[in-house]
Amino acid sequence: MSNRAVGGSHRAAPVHTDPGEVSLLTALSAVADPVRIQLIRDLAGSADWTRSCSNFDVPIGKAALSHHFSVLRGAGLVEQRDEGPRRVNRLRREEFEARFPGLLDLLLHADTE
Amino acid sequence: MSNRAVGGSHRAAPVHTDPGEVSLLTALSAVADPVRIQLIRDLAGSADWTRSCSNFDVPIGKAALSHHFSVLRGAGLVEQRDEGPRRVNRLRREEFEARFPGLLDLLLHADTE
């Protein structure tokens, strides 16, 4: 199978981890970060596959953002796919909730301060 | 007020943070650690104030253990008091649950691997 994304992009397709295979520690480490909490909240407020990676209001550069998304994929929190030049996102709400009941609700509703 | 603990110890009394004043990020950072998850689980399996700091089966030195307990106190997870030469512990189960519903259950019941 080719690692090239379809649709004109030459980036490697994003690698995902199934939430069922994510350890508690990996999940907690992934969400114990203010930027990633913000990304998760933004995604929760958007319809699946509508939000592209360049369209988040976080005060960090492209490389750092790419790293954060990699961590979120590795924790089973986010699914990504390439649509032409855009990499669009989906929060894996149901699957992550099944693996770590209540954690996503906490992230979305608890005061961060 | 004196900082000296009563009961023969000359250590400073432990400083605590009320769970109601703990931020989500502080709580998540505190629990995203394998040693601290183990300490929380050990405490959950013991009656309040029965477990002293020297009585946990974790493969780390005294200074590191002291740091981990400091983080747990700062996240509103653990209360400590000195009884003579022993520093004994209590998991702040109800207060922490009220502040971050479901998080403690997740720590106690999810597979860590």
Side-chain angles (χ1 to χ4, degrees):
Chain A
M1 195 178 118
S2 167
N3 242 353
R4 297 224 170 152
V6 291
S9 170
H10 289 262
R11 294 179 299 185
V15 175
H16 292 93
T17 304
D18 186 274
E21 292 170 6
V22 172
S23 75
L24 176 63
L25 205 54
T26 298
L28 292 173
S29 302
V31 300
D33 179 278
V35 169
R36 292 193 289 268
I37 291 176
Q38 187 58 52
L39 294 175
I40 291 165
R41 289 179 171 184
D42 285 355
L43 277 173
S46 311
D48 288 357
W49 309 121
T50 59
R51 208 72 188 253
S52 77
C53 288
S54 57
N55 189 18
F56 286 87
D57 189 22
V58 285
I60 55 171
K62 197 171 166 180
L65 188 61
S66 175
H67 166 71
H68 285 300
F69 273 111
S70 166
V71 173
L72 291 174
R73 289 197 311 269
L77 270 157
V78 167
E79 189 178 3
Q80 300 187 302
R81 68 183 184 207
D82 291 327
E83 295 186 347
R86 300 169 76 227
R87 177 160 287 183
V88 290
N89 295 277
R90 177 179 83 85
L91 186 63
R92 304 180 76 163
R93 210 186 265 266
E94 288 75 19
E95 307 106 289
F96 193 80
E97 169 65 19
R99 176 70 182 99
F100 301 108
L103 185 52
L104 203 48
D105 267 358
L106 196 66
L107 296 175
L108 299 180
H109 302 301
D111 300 336
T112 38
E113 293 309 310
Chain B
M1 198 178 116
S2 167
N3 244 352
R4 295 216 172 162
V6 292
S9 169
H10 290 262
R11 291 178 300 183
V15 176
H16 293 94
T17 303
D18 186 275
E21 291 170 6
V22 172
S23 75
L24 175 64
L25 205 53
T26 299
L28 292 173
S29 302
V31 300
D33 179 278
V35 170
R36 293 195 288 270
I37 291 176
Q38 188 57 51
L39 294 174
I40 291 166
R41 289 178 171 185
D42 285 355
L43 277 173
S46 311
D48 289 354
W49 308 122
T50 59
R51 207 74 188 251
S52 78
C53 288
S54 57
N55 190 20
F56 286 87
D57 188 22
V58 284
I60 54 171
K62 199 172 166 179
L65 188 61
S66 175
H67 165 72
H68 285 301
F69 273 113
S70 166
V71 173
L72 290 174
R73 290 198 310 272
L77 271 158
V78 167
E79 190 178 4
Q80 299 187 303
R81 66 185 185 208
D82 291 328
E83 294 185 348
R86 300 170 76 229
R87 177 161 287 183
V88 290
N89 295 277
R90 176 179 84 86
L91 186 62
R92 304 181 76 162
R93 212 186 264 265
E94 287 75 18
E95 308 106 289
F96 193 81
E97 170 64 19
R99 175 72 180 99
F100 300 108
L103 184 53
L104 203 48
D105 267 358
L106 195 66
L107 296 175
L108 299 180
H109 302 301
D111 300 337
T112 38
E113 294 310 310

